Amino acid sequence: MRPDRHDAHEAGRPDGAAAVVIGGGLAGITAALALADAGLRVTLVEGRPRLGGLVFSFRRESAVGELTVDNGQHVYLRCCTAYGWFLDRVGARDLVPLQDRMDVPVLDADGLRLGRLRRTALPVPLHLARSLATYPHLSLAERANVGRAALALKKLDPEDPRLDGVDFASWLRRHGQSPRAVEALWDLVGVATLNARAGDASLGLAAKVFKTGLLSDNGAADIGWARVPLGEVHDALAREALEKAGVRVELRTRASGLDRTEDGAWRVTVDNGPHGREQLAADTVVLALPQRETHALLPAGSLDGQDRLLDIGTAPILNLHVVYDRPVLRKPFFAALGSPVQWVFDRTEASGLAALPGGAGSQYLAVSQSAAQDDIDRPVAELRERYLPELARLLPAARGAGVRDFFVTRERTATFAPTPGVGRLRPAARTQNPGLYLAGAWTATGWPATMESAVRSGLGAVREALTELGFPQGQLPQEVA
């Protein structure tokens, strides 16, 4: 339970400390909540008219009525404990439930063979043995080789800096993985979690994904996703939690300057549109922006090799949104092989389509395409021509269905690129300037660019801030305290 301000004061914490958090994505929201929970006076500034960063929803008028559209499909796993804390903290756990047990339908477009990656209640690694033994998309020899590679992967230490410079595909080849095994298993998981194919991904980050998600606990890879629009969780409920915590939230407000005062405090210059320019004083500042925006605001000398932030690349994610005039998919989601289609989710209920008078009987599918460098700039007409036939090939019910709407959302810089060597570029939360901290999924959390990494980064920045201020850290989740 969050302590109120009186409790914080009675606990002997420094009175009157102020913090400014710059950026209202998951990292910034997390940092603001944790700082407020510790008793600081917190102001959160965000340039957009909403919170949530790149995890958001918007309204779209379509042929069937007004839909609530997520910019992209976001999922998390049971092992994402920091994001689970975030959901609890904003009161959204019931809106973003987890599967009882991991169950991923995998459909091969060539022959429409359906396989499933499912876990049992057996301990690791036996929890996946039955699923792997019957997985139809790999030969018997390939399945045996996957098991041997998994055992070798379990021995790796994701924090070993030597792994950072090695690409995952090379490691897989050295451990007997065929191109088909890479496509049907390793990239099936890796592309969705790393936003890169094995050849473009750091072995260190790949090891983190597979060891944590599949080889740590038998329930670690159970999948959760929002049954409501993302904006309801990461904007509306987050804003409500911030307001209850006493955080001053300033939207449509951009930080344009950051400098030290003569007494060693911080001065944040913000531009608030028609309200003009304002200067905010703070003992603590958390910069929770993407890497390039962070670089632009950082005072000189804040980091060793500060310009290395500009060497952290980005990777795109493309989402295709299709509204059919009838149901074409009976499952909540599936993954595809032998097709440009990667993952497909049913968003009929979450979008509000089912409740629209014009939406009766229709179904809304979201096609999530990670590592989408080849498609991200294609015109909508080309994407429609490319993907609708593929969906019809995968889903026989779609072959005679009418398409009531087709549109695209693009995030050209959705995540940092997890390329070999990126680990040495990712900065820690603490800078060389007292009172100034960094947060964001791209910072040195040890995780790839996920919602989990974003929340962990915010908590990590607060941990460092509270340590420097001499505050107790008992309110932080145990894994980052």
Side-chain angles (χ1 to χ4, degrees), residues 68-104:
T68 302
V69 176
D70 291 342
N71 71 312
Q73 180 63 50
H74 295 264
V75 304
Y76 76 110
L77 305 179
R78 194 179 297 277
C79 61
C80 297
T81 53
Y83 183 67
W85 170 89
F86 175 88
L87 293 176
D88 289 335
R89 184 63 184 78
V90 302
R93 176 71 79 166
D94 292 343
L95 303 178
V96 194
L98 288 153
Q99 293 176 316
D100 292 333
R101 291 186 181 181
M102 182 192 79
D103 186 356
V104 180

Side-chain angles (χ1 to χ4, degrees), residues 118-131 213-215 217-219:
R118 289 185 285 196
R119 76 165 178 91
T120 66
L122 293 173
V124 173
L126 298 177
H127 67 312
L128 294 175
R130 181 185 303 171
S131 178
L214 296 178
L215 300 171
D217 181 83
N218 70 348

